[in-house]
Amino acid sequence: MSAITIRQLSTYEDYKRVYDLERTVWGFSDPLDMVPPVVFTITVKRGAILLGAFDADDRMVGFSYSLVGMKDRTPLQWSHMTGVLPEYRGGLGLRLKQVQRERAIELGYTLIEWTFDPLQTMNAHLNIAKLGCVAEEYHRNVYGESTSDLHRGTPTDRLVAQWHITEPHVERRLRTPEAQRVTSAGVGSAPTINRTATRGAFRACEAIDLAMDAPRLWLEIPVGGTELQRDEPGMAMAWRLQTREVFEAYFARGYRVVDFTVRREDGVGRYLLADRTRVGMQSGS
């Protein structure tokens, strides 16, 4: 991994390499699902951040793309895609996001946002636990029917990751290993919104409670969202609809996602939700 270099992309040839990488990483079968080189050309000229990661042989093995956006009259970077070849995963995605953050701060931004599938545990772990994002927006079927091997089969519901890149809690997350973080009082005893159990190869949701009122709450999801969609589409759809109901209900009541943990041995990931009126932005550590 130390031989990997990351740089801003600015040539049409590099844009074509990113386009090819999109297809490889996500397995798209329809070009309409992909960002074409001409869009990279236009948006990079007007403030988009397009980073490429290259191995020692100058092979592009990952990239990250964000473009200029606006929220409540405040400029932001909207991070549309970050992708890494399978054999280079395990840290390169984090490095790309860190360089993206550094570049955005240099340009004067304080916020980067993007969407992610709430049933993809590894994405949730990177975004929430490692980068320090929070989430308080849930959107149904954002991208319609996807041709990606990773997303095909269920509505493309998404959480919006809010990365407040200059805030102290983000700085702490980035510099402190998970094993060394101090957990806030009350996190360990927080109740769980849904009751889950192992059913075959995956975790299943047996019941949800939409009436809880504790300052902090846990929401469990299954590990292996991609495999779940492929092998158990009915269970994957049930999870989509159940977690949709939970996020929409609790976000409407003022909760937001502030942390995420994974227990791989139990096949479960867990979102920590905190009431914004009773708990600060950084509730997990």
Side-chain angles (χ1 to χ4, degrees), residues 4 15 25 46 58 61-62 71 82 95 97 114 134 141 145 182 198 233:
I4 299 296
Y15 303 156
V25 171
R46 289 297 180 264
D58 200 41
V61 298
K71 181 178 182 179
T82 297
R95 283 185 59 191
K97 297 302 290 185
W114 62 92
V134 296
N141 203 27
E145 181 67 24
V182 178
T198 300

Side-chain angles (χ1 to χ4, degrees), residues 29-283:
S29 59
D30 188 340
L32 292 177
D33 287 326
M34 301 166 63
V35 180
V38 67
V39 173
F40 294 134
T41 300
I42 296 166
T43 54
V44 168
K45 287 183 181 296
R46 289 297 180 264
I49 300 172
L50 180 57
L51 303 170
F54 299 84
D55 66 12
D57 297 320
D58 200 41
R59 177 194 182 201
M60 188 183 292
V61 298
F63 76 96
S64 187
Y65 173 56
S66 65
L67 58 157
V68 177
M70 187 77 71
K71 181 178 182 179
D72 299 329
R73 299 186 178 183
T74 300
L76 57 80
Q77 283 280 320
W78 180 268
S79 187
H80 180 57
M81 284 181 163
T82 297
V84 175
L85 291 176
E87 62 267 35
Y88 286 88
R89 291 170 190 165
L92 182 53
L94 176 60
R95 283 185 59 191
L96 281 163
K97 297 302 290 185
Q98 289 173 319
V99 176
Q100 181 188 61
R101 172 179 177 266
E102 293 166 3
R103 178 62 176 151
I105 291 174
E106 290 173 359
L107 294 172
Y109 293 97
T110 61
L111 176 63
I112 302 175
E113 291 189 330
W114 62 92
T115 61
F116 69 99
D117 186 340
L119 292 178
Q120 291 287 339
T121 53
M122 295 302 99
N123 285 350
H125 189 250
L126 171 63
N127 296 337
I128 307 299
K130 292 188 175 182
L131 296 177
C133 296
V134 296
E136 54 192 35
E137 292 181 45
Y138 186 94
H139 298 282
R140 297 186 181 192
N141 203 27
V142 176
Y143 304 108
E145 181 67 24
S146 176
T147 63
S148 167
D149 293 337
L150 301 179
H151 305 137
R152 184 184 295 115
T154 60
T156 52
D157 289 18
R158 296 292 183 263
L159 288 171
V160 175
Q162 300 176 0
W163 199 18
H164 297 274
I165 54 178
T166 60
E167 289 293 323
H169 81 273
V170 170
E171 298 274 1
R172 288 195 297 271
R173 279 290 168 97
L174 291 174
R175 70 170 182 259
T176 308
E178 288 184 74
Q180 299 177 16
R181 292 175 189 164
V182 178
T183 302
S184 301
V187 170
S189 60
T192 302
I193 295 168
N194 55 342
R195 186 175 74 250
T196 70
T198 300
R199 293 288 180 266
F202 302 101
R203 204 83 172 179
C205 180
E206 298 185 330
I208 59 175
D209 187 344
L210 302 181
M212 290 186 168
D213 193 37
R216 299 175 181 85
L217 300 168
W218 290 104
L219 171 64
E220 296 187 348
I221 64 168
V223 168
T226 301
E227 294 76 17
L228 178 65
Q229 286 199 151
R230 182 191 65 211
D231 300 338
E232 297 287 350
M235 186 183 294
M237 180 63 78
W239 269 110
R240 177 69 78 208
L241 299 179
Q242 289 159 339
T243 52
R244 173 192 287 179
E245 189 174 9
V246 169
F247 281 120
E248 289 183 341
Y250 282 95
F251 284 177
R253 290 172 48 199
Y255 286 82
R256 63 181 161 199
V257 172
V258 297
D259 209 349
F260 188 84
T261 65
V262 183
R263 296 201 310 261
R264 290 176 179 82
E265 66 277 10
D266 297 324
V268 64
R270 302 206 305 164
Y271 286 98
L272 182 63
L273 280 66
D275 185 339
R276 286 175 291 176
T277 64
R278 291 180 280 180
V279 181
M281 180 178 290
Q282 185 61 26
S283 172

